[in-house]
């Protein structure tokens, strides 16, 4: 049996252990320390944003953003439906209601027109949404200009879920830096990883200051433990921040490697006109975290994406269907949703291909042979 080819696996740069060793040598084995401070600085510099707090996950970072925007029981939060459940779950942690909005076919992200329709309808029904969560799916920048305009028009703050989009740019600006707050994830499958981790970023100093306070148990400045607010234990450890520092050294390299994978698949499958790749617009540059495609409706290919997935799986090559939209998930089936059918079509006709930055030429040859064999 051939060895397993993963969809997206961790890819260390080589210097991570040096930072961890340093943490051990200085006994900074805690959720604070020099690696944490330096990791935050490097993220700020890379993104071109004023403030960053590194936390235990992307999910906790979204949760923190909602807490900072005062989202509470009974509130409504607009959320992109076509995403991973971690985008929407924190809305429910706050006992608020998610309102799902479908995607447009170009970037696969929140449709700005449908977003405005949803806002108008929610206001007509008596409640103005408290926040909007937009996602840059698979690293592809959303139409941020239009989405920001809608947010400004109705004065609703925007949280950018850039968990999959570190290194992606829109009109020359980094994803995660458009909204009032942005979040990143350093989970094991993301473009860089700390094994598990996340970050909350913002140009608003007070928001990040408050995030640091709340994520360390809301402990006030007193020799005894004084609390007037509910706190969380959400801060990233100094050990994991050390992995992050090593990974930051290779981030740009990882982006170019993922973009190269994307080029490889486009060249390989260029004869199959029914395969429509997830493609950047003139305004955007994607990190191509996962190369993915949709089979067009007018297909004369009799195959389904599930047959392609199974064929690859049989050869020990991991592929995955596109995210199942949140409005189709049993857990969210009573939530309001504003739909155009796109995400449901994409889910049932789409596939993510192995996209790790550590794919070898031999592995790519194996994938190519297998894919062409299935398609012919
Ligand atoms: C990975 C991911 C998250 C959650 O990040 P974790 O660090 O795993 O908690 C949130 N949103 C999207 C779109 C993701 O892909």
């Amino acid at each position: 049996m051939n060895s397993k080819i993963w969809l997206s696996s961790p890819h260390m740069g080589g210097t991570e252990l040096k930072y961890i060793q340093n943490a051990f040598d200085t006994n900074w084995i805690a959720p604070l320390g020099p690696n944490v401070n330096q990791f935050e600085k490097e993220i700020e510099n890379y993104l071109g944003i004023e403030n960053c707090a590194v936390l235990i996950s992307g999910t906790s970072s979204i949760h923190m953003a909602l807490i900072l925007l005062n989202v509470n029981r009974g509130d409504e939060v607009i959320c992109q439906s076509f995403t991973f459940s971690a985008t929407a779950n924190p809305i429910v942690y706050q006992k608020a209601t998610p309102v799902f909005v479908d995607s447009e076919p170009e970037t696969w992200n929140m449709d700005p027109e449908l977003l405005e329709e949803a806002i108008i309808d929610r206001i007509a029904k008596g409640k103005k949404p408290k926040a909007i969560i937009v996602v840059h799916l698979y690293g592809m920048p959303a139409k941020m200009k239009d989405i920001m305009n809608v947010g400004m028009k109705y004065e609703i703050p925007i949280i950018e879920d850039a968990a999959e989009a570190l290194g992606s740019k829109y009109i020359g600006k980094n994803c995660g830096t458009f909204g009032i707050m942005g979040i990143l994830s350093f989970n094991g499958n993301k473009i860089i990883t700390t094994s598990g981790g996340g970050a909350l970023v913002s140009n608003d100093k007070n928001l990040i200051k408050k995030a640091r306070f709340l994520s360390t148990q809301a402990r006030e400045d007193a020799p005894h433990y004084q609390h007037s607010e509910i706190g969380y234990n959400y801060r990233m450890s100094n050990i994991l921040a050390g992995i992050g520092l090593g990974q930051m050294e290779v981030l740009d390299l990882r982006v170019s490697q993922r973009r190269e994978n994307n080029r490889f698949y486009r060249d390989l499958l260029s004869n199959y006109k029914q395969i429509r790749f997830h493609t950047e617009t003139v305004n955007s540059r994607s990190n191509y975290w996962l190369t993915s495609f949709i089979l067009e409706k007018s297909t004369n290919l009799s195959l389904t994406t599930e047959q392609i997935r199974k064929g690859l799986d049989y050869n020990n090559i991991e592929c995955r269907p596109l995210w199942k939209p949140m409005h189709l998930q049993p857990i969210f089936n009573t939530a309001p949703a504003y739909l155009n059918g796109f995400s449901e079509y994409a889910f049932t006709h789409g596939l993510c291909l192995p996209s790790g930055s550590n794919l070898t030429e031999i592995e790519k040859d194996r994938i190519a042979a297998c894919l062409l064999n299935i398609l012919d």
Side-chain angles (χ1 to χ4, degrees):
M1 189 65 172
N2 277 321
S3 60
K4 176 107 180 173
I5 297 178
W6 299 97
L7 188 73
S8 176
S9 65
H11 188 185
M12 292 297 106
T15 60
E16 291 83 1
L17 278 173
K18 181 187 80 186
Y19 295 102
I20 293 177
Q21 186 64 50
N22 190 260
F24 274 72
D25 291 345
T26 53
N27 207 28
W28 280 107
I29 318 288
L32 80 177
N35 285 345
V36 168
N37 300 339
Q38 200 188 332
F39 189 27
E40 289 178 345
K41 282 241 149 47
E42 300 218 349
I43 294 168
E44 289 163 5
N45 291 340
Y46 186 90
L47 291 181
I49 199 152
E50 305 266 320
N51 311 281
C52 168
V54 288
L55 304 178
I56 54 171
S57 62
T59 310
S60 60
S61 305
I62 296 172
H63 190 198
M64 197 45 68
L66 294 172
I67 293 165
L68 291 167
L69 292 177
N70 251 321
V71 170
N72 287 309
R73 185 184 295 274
D75 288 336
E76 291 187 350
V77 174
I78 292 188
C79 181
Q80 183 165 321
S81 185
F82 197 24
T83 186
F84 176 46
S85 65
T87 311
N89 283 337
I91 301 169
V92 180
Y93 302 166
Q94 285 308 98
K95 311 273 190 285
T97 304
V99 174
F100 293 113
V101 170
D102 217 328
S103 290
E104 35 81 15
E106 208 175 353
T107 75
W108 301 5
N109 294 310
M110 190 181 277
D111 183 330
E113 285 173 27
L114 208 49
L115 167 64
E116 181 160 20
E117 271 176 47
I119 294 172
I120 291 170
D121 192 53
R122 296 328 290 171
I123 292 173
K125 288 190 162 72
K127 224 172 242 178
K128 180 167 146 178
K130 210 68 181 278
I132 298 164
I133 310 179
V134 59
V135 187
H136 305 291
L137 214 62
Y138 304 120
M140 189 65 67
K143 295 188 172 173
M144 285 315 292
K145 218 171 82 191
D146 299 332
I147 288 168
M148 293 300 295
N149 282 339
V150 175
M152 271 186 283
K153 182 170 171 189
Y154 296 91
E155 297 182 317
I156 304 173
I158 291 171
I159 301 167
E160 253 181 294
D161 179 345
E164 302 176 356
L166 178 54
S168 296
K169 287 183 165 64
Y170 178 80
I171 331 186
K173 222 173 114 160
N174 278 291
C175 286
T177 64
F178 288 85
I180 186 164
M181 283 173 273
I183 75 97
L184 304 173
S185 167
F186 308 113
N187 202 348
N189 59 352
K190 298 300 192 314
I191 191 154
I192 61 167
T193 181
T194 58
S195 77
L200 183 69
V201 301
S202 177
N203 280 317
D204 186 328
K205 190 178 172 192
N206 289 329
L207 285 174
I208 299 301
K209 196 173 159 207
K210 187 82 191 270
R212 291 201 179 106
F213 169 73
L214 291 177
S215 63
T216 47
Q217 308 285 25
R219 195 184 144 198
E220 281 153 38
D221 194 13
H224 59 277
Y225 280 51
Q226 173 82 12
H227 304 277
S228 356
E229 279 179 272
I230 292 293
Y232 301 82
N233 189 3
Y234 275 179
R235 207 73 166 105
M236 180 183 281
S237 89
N238 194 51
I239 303 291
L240 299 189
I243 305 178
L245 281 173
Q247 290 274 280
M248 284 305 282
E249 294 179 12
V250 292
L251 174 54
D252 280 332
L253 177 62
R254 297 293 177 261
V255 172
S256 65
Q257 287 162 327
R258 299 241 177 195
R259 288 180 63 83
E260 220 165 276
N261 289 339
N262 187 264
R263 176 48 50 204
F264 158 74
Y265 285 117
R266 280 172 199 270
D267 291 345
L268 179 73
L269 303 175
S270 61
N271 287 332
Y272 299 89
K273 299 299 173 212
Q274 312 88 338
I275 291 179
R276 186 158 63 82
F277 282 100
H278 197 194
T279 301
E280 53 199 6
T281 64
V282 284
N283 284 331
S284 69
R285 185 183 155 88
S286 174
N287 67 6
Y288 282 120
W289 172 57
L290 294 185
T291 288
S292 24
F293 68 82
I294 292 173
L295 284 182
E296 292 282 7
K297 259 187 192 119
S298 59
T299 179
N300 46 18
L301 203 69
S302 58
L303 278 172
T304 64
T305 43
E306 184 53 14
Q307 286 169 313
I308 300 173
R309 193 191 67 76
K310 281 202 175 121
L312 289 164
D313 184 60
Y314 182 77
N315 287 279
N316 221 9
I317 299 169
E318 186 186 28
C319 276
R320 206 195 282 151
L322 303 187
W323 297 124
K324 181 171 185 174
M326 291 307 110
H327 71 272
L328 297 176
Q329 299 286 359
I331 194 79
F332 293 125
N333 65 6
T334 59
Y338 295 81
L339 307 172
N340 56 20
F342 175 76
S343 62
E344 181 164 4
Y345 182 85
F347 165 61
T348 48
H349 294 78
L351 205 61
C352 298
L353 295 164
S355 303
S357 48
N358 49 6
L359 281 181
T360 64
E361 289 308 313
I362 292 168
E363 286 175 324
K364 282 186 189 174
D365 288 346
R366 230 179 90 199
I367 296 168
C370 189
L371 258 179
L372 295 179
N373 188 31
I374 295 166
L375 290 167
D376 297 328

